[in-house]
Amino acid sequence: MEIEERQPVSAGAGRAVPPGPRPGEPVGGPPPGPSGPRRSPLTRRRSLIAAAAGCAVLGGALVLLPSTDRGGAPRGAPGPVARAAGAVGAGVPAALPDLAALIGDREARVRARPGDDASWAVLGAAYTERARRTAAAAYYPKAERALRTSLRVRPEGNVAALEGLASLAGARGDFRAAKRWGEEASKLAPKRWTTYPALIDAYSGLGDYKAVDRTLARLLELRPGPAARSVAARVYRDRGRREDAAAVLSDAAAAAAGPAEQAALLTQAGDLAWERGDVRDALDHYRAATSTDADAYDALAGQGRALAALGRTTEALRAYRAALAKRPVPRYALELGELYDTLRLGADARAQYGLLRDLVRRDGAAGVDDEPVAGLFEADHGDPQAAVTALRAEWRRQPGIAVADALGWALHRAGNDREALGFAVRATDAEHGGGVRSALYAYHRGQIERDLGLSGPARRHLAEALRINPYFSPLLAPAAREALTALGEPPAGGPPEESEDAQTSEGSADPGGSADPGGSVAPGGSESTDRTDGADGAGRPGVRSDASRSAEGSGDTAAAGSTGPSGSAAAPAPGAAPASPGTASAPNAPERTAPR
């Protein structure tokens, strides 16, 4: 509602007014001289005092009645529409209430002026941000229609629409389209820095890490601010430079312009702490994020992850449910379902897995690509062969590290361990871009090597997974410990030299090399069938119950600093936290609370 501007108090209200003619006195009188009428010193002093008093009254009135803009905010301070437009234009998170105000404003504008290409572009970017923040997938097609309308109205030189289409494609996980639109925008306006974050994400998703480095250098040259630092932190994390990423995020959060942007940076810092196994630090960051912005739903899910690792399962379940209700994405449903599995709450777990499939279908109808998460789910809890088929197609479209890991794991679960190892090596080999220190990726590679009889590499990578983050998954972290126990200690007197076959399996199985990117031929030869397809007796996927595996293979090379099996493999829990909730033995087992 518009607020009517109030007029300042008239200056005459506090100023001495010259007296008019007195009764009986003629109007007029002799004309004044050059200096005006002569007044006594006392009269002049009284006039000055009265004028000063009037100025004081006027100044007080102006202080008490600040001027306002048409949105009701003090003039000079941006209102919600301006705040959201600034955030969307700068590629940073906008507060959800401000975003709703911006969408309403631009919808009204394009209804009144359908030829306004700039308003169409802003509306499309706002729809994309709304969909990304809330997982309301229906906004993605609306964003595409708005951005294409802007491009149709102004087909030449419309950088804003091109940039918006690049961001939209990246949010949907369509990295080829994001690259195409982003490169077209950057050619038209090479100094427009807001195009480069979407391009960097696109190059990362396509596995083009040289282009990532080149584009990041250009971004930091043009705009070394919080938004660019957030992108830099993602790149540093993917290169294994977690300390650099944490430092950059700390600086960026301190310089963030608004609560939504600051909360996003705090969430990113929490994710880094989680990945290195510092559960309490991660929880502190996630809580700071939700305190800064109540709509930071990623941070709410992060709290669930950290609380589960600390054994505070009741709080963890509450946090996950709240996050999933506000931002229903497949990843949250998978994590919550697996937490239910560890608590032996099978019906609740199946309900979450059903929800996950529904969300994947919903997202697919809106053009969103959930294949990496959906593939991991099918590999562990559904149809591994269907996961292989879908992920092969995904690898052909966009051969990034996350897809390599998911495809390798799906191949393993489907029984093709030799081909699986090639993709697992790709996901963990820094030479091919897999420099991120991921406990999940290391675990996947270790289990594949174990089933190939490569005991030494398997022991090394399983122990590495637990050193990176002993809590990386409520299902798989306990499975890693059990696998290490089954492998046993290295042979006395030192490990034997690896055979030529073992070296070939580990070193040359690379889907990025001579093998077809589609993965139709196993890099190491024919596929392995010597494995079990089901879970172990405890219901944990990918864990062989055959303890004789510890005697197989000739590749028993222990890495320097590797730890032994279950009892010594896991890094000490931060802050003496209790063991993973995966050890719960009954659905209603009492909750273990970590010391505070």
Side-chain angles (χ1 to χ4, degrees), residues 173-190:
D174 185 354
F175 299 119
R176 287 196 181 281
K179 175 187 175 183
R180 184 175 69 253
W181 293 118
E183 287 181 343
E184 189 173 346
S186 65
K187 285 177 184 176
L188 285 173

Side-chain angles (χ1 to χ4, degrees), residues 243-291:
E243 292 77 10
D244 291 339
V248 166
L249 283 174
S250 178
D251 292 343
E261 182 183 8
Q262 187 178 31
L265 292 164
L266 288 167
T267 302
Q268 199 175 344
D271 291 342
L272 278 175
W274 167 256
E275 287 176 0
R276 67 172 181 265
D278 194 341
V279 179
R280 294 186 182 280
D281 187 39
L283 184 58
D284 287 344
H285 278 96
Y286 291 141
R287 282 178 166 165
T290 53
S291 296

Side-chain angles (χ1 to χ4, degrees), residues 107 120 123-132 135-149 164-165 168-169 171-172 361-368:
E107 285 177 339
W120 279 114
L123 180 59
Y127 281 150
T128 299
E129 174 71 357
R130 176 81 178 183
R132 189 187 64 81
Y139 278 98
Y140 285 124
K142 295 177 72 173
E144 183 171 4
R145 285 194 296 270
L147 291 164
R148 289 188 180 276
T149 300
L165 286 165
L168 169 63
R172 282 170 152 173
R361 283 192 291 269
R362 177 208 67 175
D363 287 355
V368 179

Side-chain angles (χ1 to χ4, degrees), residues 63-64 108 163 271 349 360 380 392 400 433 548 573 577 579:
V63 169
L64 292 173
E163 182 182 288
D271 291 342
V360 169
D380 280 336
R392 282 196 197 282
S548 65

Side-chain angles (χ1 to χ4, degrees), residues 287-303:
R287 282 178 166 165
T290 53
S291 296
T292 303
D293 179 11
D295 298 326
Y297 305 133
D298 275 346
L300 196 55
Q303 287 184 39

Side-chain angles (χ1 to χ4, degrees), residues 197-233:
L199 263 178
I200 290 169
D201 289 343
Y203 292 140
S204 296
L206 295 171
D208 189 349
Y209 300 102
K210 290 182 180 179
V212 168
D213 294 339
R214 183 175 63 250
T215 310
L216 177 61
R218 179 63 170 157
L219 171 63
L220 294 174
E221 176 189 345
L222 290 172
R223 182 79 173 191
R229 291 175 193 166
S230 173
V231 178

